[in-house]
Amino acid sequence: MNMSSKLILTAATLAVGSILLALYPPPGSFNIYAPPDIPGSVDHLHSAQIVKVGAAVGPESLVFDPNGDGPYTGVADGRILKWEGDEHGWTDFAVTSSQRKDCVRPFAPELEHVCGRPLGLRFHKKTGDLYIADAYLGLQVVGRDGGLATQVVSEVEGRPLLFTNDMDIDEQKDVIYFSDTSTKFQRRQFMSSVLSGDKTGRLLKYNISSKEVTVLLEGLAFANGVALSKDQSFVLVAETTTCRIHRLWLRGPNAGNTDIFAELPGFPDNVRRNPKGEFWVALHAKRGILAKWVVSNTWAGNALLKLPLSFKQLHALFVGGKAHATALRLSEEGKVLEVLEDCEGKNMKFISEVEEKDGKLWIGSVLMPFLGIYNI
Ligand SMILES: *[C@@H]1O[C@H](CO)[C@@H](O)[C@H](O)[C@H]1NC(C)=O
């Protein structure tokens, strides 16, 4: 047997073994697959109130408009919806694609490049415009009346954007910081990006008046959530595969330098600043021992991708077999201040964003058909 067949056999054995372990864990056993416990965590997110998004799924990002109305959220069929309160529920606000006649199923990954898949949302408060990071259609913008959004950035350095993910806006300088998760993989292939060790993610800057795009950081392993600090002296970008958040200094003596803002116990999705200037980070999932090993041994991840495993099985391996929800509150210096969880995934799972407003946390999920509202 040659070396690479040995590796594939090892990975196959591990994968099959761990999937079996996850499905039928021996009672009381130490499970290298399961999501780990986080010291000091409060297992209380299951008390969040559930708000269904009509028949839609995957309210990934949540944002309130300059009047405090909403939230607005992008769902998997490509629409951006607005919450009008308990009585009126959700209304259609905007879309990122004009070719929507086939966009009728709540979840159809094979049509996402046609229907659009809005992820990160942010309002430009001065103009009232809503900026949209659409995974397939790039950076877009729509006015306060909604409707069909228009393209802002669809290519960078002559190459189309494949996986635009999140953004934040510096209204003083009128620039938008946004993330491009990968130049190789699209959103529906996100497990391939993570498992293959893809490091083509970028942090980009768009100047609203000159329309110029600049690459600020490259070589990121799944660039994801983006958030500016309260004083706009730095911008954060989550690097999902490595479970880290990078900080790029924009002002002061360190301007232009980056450092690691936080190392996390799981895979970060969006990052949102609260009114105090702290940051809420939603973890898609915590990182178990096996997931950590697979992600740090690219050959094993690549071998797994060659096996006849479904997306669901690969995803189960990655998230530790057990759906759960984990939100972290970080100080302005990156220290963990609070960990809120639904450890058993009774109510919340695979969360993508935590937006704090008026003593409540609004919690999105890229896969679930609802969002959560948690009283703090
Ligand atoms: C944006 O572009 C304008 C016009 O070229 C320029 O004056 C301004 O300095 C740029 N802003 C930033 C933050 O780069």
Side-chain angles (χ1 to χ4, degrees):
M1 218 198 255
N2 67 26
M3 189 63 184
S4 84
S5 334
K6 264 190 211 159
L7 294 183
I8 290 172
L9 189 70
T10 312
T13 312
L14 267 169
V16 172
S18 53
I19 286 163
L20 287 174
L21 262 177
L23 295 174
Y24 312 102
S29 65
F30 174 69
N31 192 345
I32 59 163
Y33 182 86
D37 291 336
I38 304 176
S41 136
V42 176
D43 186 9
H44 200 237
L45 268 189
H46 58 84
S47 69
Q49 180 201 337
I50 294 279
V51 180
K52 288 196 153 261
V53 273
V57 304
E60 205 257 359
S61 180
L62 303 163
V63 68
F64 293 88
D65 68 23
N67 298 326
D69 292 336
Y72 299 67
T73 189
V75 292
D77 65 21
R79 287 175 301 155
I80 293 160
L81 309 173
K82 180 184 179 187
W83 177 245
E84 305 268 16
D86 289 325
E87 203 174 313
H88 298 105
W90 297 95
T91 53
D92 286 4
F93 178 72
V95 290
T96 51
S97 164
S98 57
Q99 292 157 5
R100 292 196 46 85
K101 70 174 165 45
D102 295 325
C103 310
V104 289
R105 279 177 290 148
F107 187 64
E110 72 284 3
L111 286 176
E112 285 181 348
H113 62 291
V114 178
C115 305
R117 179 49 171 122
L119 298 177
L121 302 177
R122 297 277 192 177
F123 272 95
H124 189 294
K125 293 184 184 66
K126 274 185 241 158
T127 61
D129 289 336
L130 174 64
Y131 282 87
I132 305 154
D134 186 291
Y136 295 79
L137 306 173
L139 193 62
Q140 299 210 1
V141 67
V142 70
R144 55 178 79 228
D145 297 327
L148 179 62
T150 54
Q151 198 74 55
V152 177
V153 184
S154 60
E155 56 170 59
V156 174
E157 295 172 341
R159 292 175 64 192
L161 285 168
L162 285 193
F163 191 169
T164 314
N165 199 320
D166 195 27
M167 88 192 96
D168 202 357
I169 305 175
D170 179 340
E171 294 198 14
Q172 273 171 351
K173 293 195 172 171
D174 235 16
V175 296
I176 299 177
Y177 297 92
F178 68 104
S179 59
D180 171 27
T181 297
S182 170
T183 59
K184 281 196 197 158
F185 296 102
Q186 293 188 300
R187 198 212 69 85
R188 57 185 159 233
Q189 306 164 295
F190 76 86
M191 284 307 306
S192 302
S193 171
V194 171
L195 291 174
S196 70
D198 169 39
K199 287 197 192 97
T200 60
R202 296 178 293 180
L203 178 69
L204 307 158
K205 179 173 109 170
Y206 173 73
N207 180 327
I208 296 175
S209 62
S210 70
K211 300 185 164 36
E212 200 182 7
V213 181
T214 320
V215 179
L216 298 176
L217 297 176
E218 47 193 356
L220 300 174
F222 207 109
N224 202 330
V226 176
L228 281 157
S229 64
K230 199 173 183 184
D231 65 358
Q232 334 236 289
S233 63
F234 62 82
V235 61
L236 300 179
V237 57
E239 193 184 37
T240 299
T241 304
T242 59
C243 301
R244 296 193 296 207
I245 297 179
H246 294 273
R247 167 173 50 192
L248 169 65
W249 290 97
L250 301 170
R251 289 189 203 158
N254 290 322
N257 293 342
T258 57
D259 51 21
I260 304 291
F261 181 71
E263 304 259 9
L264 305 167
F267 301 100
D269 201 329
N270 289 345
V271 181
R272 289 295 178 269
R273 204 175 68 230
N274 73 5
K276 278 190 192 160
E278 302 157 346
F279 299 96
W280 281 105
V281 183
L283 299 185
H284 180 77
K286 293 190 277 186
R287 182 175 58 179
I289 295 171
L290 189 72
K292 184 173 183 176
W293 182 81
V294 169
V295 164
S296 46
N297 291 276
T298 307
W299 63 267
N302 277 310
L304 276 177
L305 288 170
K306 292 202 180 77
L307 296 174
L309 296 171
S310 68
F311 176 87
K312 259 202 159 134
Q313 286 167 316
L314 286 173
H315 187 252
L317 174 80
F318 175 65
V319 305
K322 193 166 78 174
H324 55 277
T326 307
L328 306 169
R329 182 163 56 93
L330 305 181
S331 73
E332 205 164 9
E333 289 76 39
K335 297 274 169 297
V336 177
L337 300 175
E338 185 176 357
V339 183
L340 269 177
E341 293 197 89
D342 182 348
C343 292
E344 303 295 324
K346 285 180 202 147
N347 211 346
M348 297 278 102
K349 41 199 125 174
F350 310 123
I351 64 170
S352 50
E353 186 174 305
V354 176
E355 175 79 19
E356 180 178 332
K357 184 173 183 287
D358 306 331
K360 289 182 163 65
L361 302 180
W362 291 73
I363 303 168
S365 165
V366 73
L367 293 173
M368 294 296 116
F370 49 76
L371 50 82
I373 307 174
Y374 179 82
N375 290 314
I376 46 177

